[in-house]
Structure formats: C-alpha cells, structure tokens
Amino acid sequence: MYSYNLGTFFIIDEDAFKSLIEVYVNKKAFPSTRVINRLASAGAFENIDYSFDGKHNDKNILNSFLNCNFIVFETSNNCQLACDYCSYGKLYDSLETFRDDELSIDTAKNLIGYLYENGTAGWKDNSSKLTLGFYGGEPLLRPDFILSIIEHCNSLNVFPQYAITTNGILLKKNIDLLVKNNFQILVSLDGPKDGNTARRMINGKPSFGQVVDSLLFLKQTYPDFYKTNVAVNAVLTSYTDLDREIKFFKNDLGLSNWNFNAISEFGTKEELLAEFNKLNYSAQLPENETAINNAASNLCWNAPIDYNLLFQDGFRFPNTIPTNTCLPFGKKAFLSSKGYLFACEKIAMNMPLGIVTEESLQIFSSEVASQYNDIFNKYREYCVRCQKFPVCTKCALQSDDKDLCPEFLEKYNLQEWFSDRISKLKNRKTVLNHILDNARYV
C-alpha cells in the first residue's frame, strides 16, 4: 500500500489489503481493525491540504545555530589538485577565492567556545551526538590545525566524533593521527584511473596512483579500521562507467561504503554552461542488479520515513515548508576558510549565514530569514501541486531560477511513475528480497 500523505509504501497483511480495496473501489466505510486504525492514526488516509505555513524568523535561526551539533571547518582552500568540477574552479561563481586562505585556529576555537558556552547539543555533556569535520581544499595540508582542535576539545572535556573529507594524497603520512582519534574518513575518488580523469594534480598529472596507494596502505596497516571508518565519495562525470566504478571500489579496494554525487549546476557561470554540460554525467543509470542493489533501500524517492514513527502517539508527517531545504544550521554549520558560516559545503558560496573572527561571532539572522522566505515563496505554487512533495529531497539552494524543479510530477503522472518503477523491481528478486527483509510490517 502506498500512502501519499506519508510518502511511503507499507507492507500490510492480505485482510487489511482487501479491506482497503473495499474502501477505495467499492466505496465502503473504513473497518475498525488494528492495522487500519494504526495507519489512520498516523494520517495515512487523510485528505491532503498543504498550507505551507512554516516560515523562518530571527528566533528559529538563532535557536537552530545554538542546537547545531555538526560543525565542519574548511581548514584551507588550498589543494594539491585542480579538479575539473571544483566548486572554487573556473566553472562557478563564489564569494570565496581559491588557494588564498587558511582558517585561523583561533577563529575555529572561537566558534567552538561560543557553542560550548551557549549551545545545547552535547557541548557540555554527551546527551546528543556531536561531530566535528575537517574539509578543504585539502585539510591534511594542515595537520597542525586538526591536532590543535582535538587538543582544544580535550581541554574542554568535549569528545566529538571526528570526520574528514580528503583527496587522499597525504593520507598515508597522517594516518596515525586519524586512526588514534577514530576519524571517519571520506576519500574523494571517482573510480579507477579512467573514471578518475577529472581529478588532476595542479600540474595536470593524474592523482589516481597516489590516492590508491594511500588507501591500500591503510587497508593493510589498519584492516579493521579500514572496514568501519573509510568510505569513498565519487562524483559522476562524463568519464564515469557506474558499473565499472562499483566493481573497482568493492573488489579492488575492498570497500563496503561508497556513494555517488552529481556535479552541481547551481552557481555555474552562464558563459561556461557548455563546458559544464560536456563534463556532466548524462548517461542513464544502468539497469543492472549491481547498481540497483546499492539503491534498493531508496524504494520511493530516496527518503522513506522510518516505519517506527507509526508507533509514536500523535505522529503526523511534517508538511510545513516547500521543498526539502534544511533550516539554516539544521543539519550542520560550515565555517569557510574566510570565516563565513554557510549551511553546508554542498551549496554555492554566495549566501553566508554569519561570520566568525578570532574575537567575534555574528549570525545574520534577519537577512537569512528574509532570503530563505523569498526562496520558499517561489516554490510554494509548484510544491502544492507536486505529487512528490511528501518525500521531496530537493534543496532549493541548489536550484537555478531557470529550472525550478526538474523532478516536478503532476498528479495524472503519479500512477504511471510508480508502475514503471515497480515493474522494473518485479524482475529483480534480489532487490525485492532486500526491501522485504528491511521493511516493517504494520
């Protein structure tokens, strides 16, 4: 059964299914059974009336910042690589400059100190998970910065989970520091040598050999850590052969965790769109079991709700704002090498949420609330008609005005959309079994 209101499929017993056929086909009343009552109490059968009443204001942005439990430091925007799709590269407009800035250790400590004194999300106790991430550029160009932040947190009796995104060139040199502090390591690697073509050194030479050498060294030296703490992030480009890349990560590198991301079109310079399109991944995702198995958990639209929510009293799916754009600081805060605070590292650097220096910290709460509300106002008329709204995964900050939402789905196409995807799944028993094994019966 699919509930549009809750935006997900449910596996129900045959009697409940037949009862719903009677309700919707033969227009009979809802029966009072355990399954039907539980789904009804969660709002699965209600008429849909989206008001989109959620709006940002000064107060909720400041509260979101004080509750932020994931801070990412851009230690430097310097890097040994010059990737074709780099957000600081020639394809994009940005407030940030490339290779010119390093984040001051005292500025980072000032942010930590402010949240330690005023924050509520695990800064003074272990009541909630706290994560500190290091990003670049290439963060391992500044191991002194990383070590200083770790020592500073230790002095405050703050013990977060540490994470790092690295190009892997200096991984071997700094591995002891990362293993000792139980880092979660995300290595940027697009695939084997041919698939990794867009990730070039500054001098134009391939980066592939050095990165793979570091990964295999880590695998041999710390095999248990490698299995649990190392993952790969790959960018889909015109050089990508998805099935080949998956086999390489799984068989050659022995990894169990990897993910693929598309190149962001948001912020692309208009005059370089043709060059962007030439680099962009344009092939259809292969219709093979290997690729689909990696996406099997995303049966609907990449964001099925947790079935356990159905067993919480008074649960309702929170349809309050257009799109799936995060509340500023709702998931993380990204401190750039210039000291600007952004919502995350994935959006173009042209909408700062605040600024931090060695002595001060300012959140642009009024300006940010106004900017976000203006963005949402553009989407309201689309979202209220879109059949994907309950499970929308689109960030409005990553969309250009010229193409408000390529995923927009009118009501009359919904059944056809589902029918196509379910028909494909029916021929893949491995995928179906995976879904059934991980599903929750109501």
Side-chain angles (χ1 to χ4, degrees):
M1 186 202 92
Y2 177 74
S3 168
Y4 176 63
N5 241 19
L6 300 180
T8 195
F9 287 97
F10 297 99
I11 298 173
I12 58 178
D13 60 59
E14 187 174 1
D15 290 340
F17 185 81
K18 288 180 178 179
S19 297
L20 290 176
I21 293 294
E22 292 295 309
V23 171
Y24 284 102
V25 176
N26 298 322
K27 309 300 181 184
K28 293 188 176 181
F30 281 99
S32 181
T33 67
R34 182 189 65 82
V35 173
I36 299 299
N37 290 341
R38 173 53 65 184
L39 288 167
S41 68
F45 309 122
E46 292 179 359
N47 292 326
I48 299 163
D49 181 20
Y50 296 135
S51 61
F52 296 132
D53 55 350
K55 292 185 179 181
H56 292 312
N57 56 51
D58 293 22
K59 184 177 180 180
N60 64 23
I61 289 174
L62 288 172
N63 286 340
S64 180
F65 174 64
L66 294 176
N67 281 280
C68 187
N69 61 0
F70 191 172
I71 309 298
V72 179
F73 299 111
E74 185 186 42
T75 61
S76 166
N77 59 23
N78 196 7
C79 185
Q80 313 97 311
L81 273 60
C83 301
D84 296 348
Y85 47 71
C86 178
S87 59
Y88 294 127
K90 65 178 182 178
L91 291 179
Y92 297 95
D93 289 313
S94 176
L95 286 177
E96 304 286 282
T97 52
F98 191 27
R99 307 187 194 281
D100 292 340
D101 299 292
E102 290 188 344
L103 179 61
S104 160
I105 293 174
D106 288 337
T107 296
K109 288 181 177 180
N110 186 28
L111 176 58
I112 291 173
Y114 185 91
L115 290 172
Y116 177 76
E117 293 296 331
N118 302 284
T120 59
W123 288 95
K124 290 192 176 70
D125 55 50
N126 295 316
S127 59
S128 61
K129 185 178 179 181
L130 180 64
T131 302
L132 295 185
F134 301 90
Y135 194 80
E138 173 48 48
L140 288 178
L141 287 170
R142 297 193 65 198
D144 59 318
F145 181 99
I146 298 171
L147 183 58
S148 293
I149 297 302
I150 293 172
E151 291 176 344
H152 183 61
C153 288
N154 290 342
S155 71
L156 297 174
N157 288 319
V158 172
F159 303 103
Q161 169 68 66
Y162 292 109
I164 190 168
T165 300
T166 173
N167 61 32
I169 300 295
L170 295 173
L171 189 57
K172 183 188 297 186
K173 182 179 179 180
N174 295 280
I175 193 58
D176 291 338
L177 171 66
L178 303 182
V179 172
K180 178 182 177 181
N181 292 284
N182 196 35
F183 268 73
Q184 291 294 323
I185 303 174
L186 184 63
V187 179
S188 299
L189 181 69
D190 295 345
K193 188 172 182 180
D194 289 344
N196 200 59
T197 301
R199 298 188 61 79
R200 300 179 176 89
M201 305 293 289
I202 292 177
N203 59 13
K205 293 183 178 180
S207 64
F208 174 77
Q210 295 182 64
V211 179
V212 170
D213 179 60
S214 292
L215 283 169
L216 294 179
F217 173 82
L218 176 54
K219 180 184 177 184
Q220 181 179 7
T221 309
Y222 298 102
D224 293 336
F225 179 88
Y226 186 80
K227 289 179 182 178
T228 58
N229 289 57
V230 179
V232 161
N233 182 67
V235 175
L236 295 168
T237 71
S238 54
Y239 302 107
T240 299
D241 179 331
L242 194 57
D243 192 45
R244 177 193 64 191
E245 281 30 341
I246 292 173
K247 290 178 180 177
F248 172 72
F249 295 145
K250 182 177 180 180
N251 300 330
D252 294 48
L253 297 182
L255 290 164
S256 56
N257 296 305
W258 59 84
N259 60 277
F260 293 94
N261 286 301
I263 307 173
S264 174
E265 187 174 351
F266 184 69
T268 309
K269 294 177 180 177
E270 190 72 31
E271 65 272 20
L272 295 178
L273 271 178
E275 189 170 341
F276 170 89
N277 291 330
K278 184 178 179 180
L279 179 64
N280 195 25
Y281 181 79
S282 58
Q284 293 293 318
L285 292 178
E287 295 289 342
N288 62 62
E289 192 169 285
T290 302
I292 295 178
N293 274 338
N294 283 276
S297 61
N298 304 329
L299 173 61
C300 189
W301 286 304
N302 206 32
I305 67 168
D306 183 349
Y307 290 91
N308 293 315
L309 290 174
L310 287 174
F311 299 94
Q312 295 179 8
D313 292 337
F315 167 73
R316 289 292 187 277
F317 197 88
N319 299 314
T320 57
I321 60 174
T323 75
N324 191 43
T325 308
C326 306
L327 174 70
F329 306 117
K331 288 188 176 179
K332 66 174 68 171
F334 177 73
L335 182 62
S336 78
S337 56
K338 282 184 176 291
Y340 287 106
L341 282 167
F342 294 97
C344 73
E345 69 278 12
K346 294 181 180 180
I347 62 173
M349 301 299 174
N350 55 10
M351 189 184 291
L353 308 180
I355 188 168
V356 185
T357 68
E358 294 181 357
E359 299 85 19
S360 65
L361 185 150
Q362 181 184 5
I363 304 300
F364 306 147
S365 52
S366 297
E367 297 90 334
V368 170
S370 176
Q371 288 175 324
Y372 271 66
N373 289 332
D374 287 345
I375 291 171
F376 289 149
N377 286 336
K378 294 191 306 183
Y379 285 87
R380 291 175 193 275
E381 63 175 293
Y382 291 87
C383 294
V384 76
R385 294 185 288 111
C386 179
Q387 300 302 292
K388 291 188 179 182
F389 175 73
V391 283
C392 178
T393 62
K394 297 302 175 183
C395 173
L397 302 182
Q398 293 180 295
S399 300
D400 288 314
D401 292 342
K402 60 189 177 185
D403 190 6
L404 278 176
C405 188
E407 298 295 321
F408 178 77
L409 186 71
E410 294 279 9
K411 185 174 182 178
Y412 64 84
N413 288 329
L414 183 64
Q415 184 172 345
E416 179 182 347
W417 190 92
F418 274 132
S419 178
D420 174 66
R421 279 146 184 80
I422 294 173
S423 294
K424 291 176 181 177
L425 285 172
K426 285 169 68 176
N427 297 321
R428 295 178 173 82
K429 293 182 180 179
T430 303
V431 177
L432 283 176
N433 287 338
H434 178 94
I435 293 167
L436 293 172
D437 289 344
N438 289 280
R440 299 287 192 275
Y441 285 86
V442 177

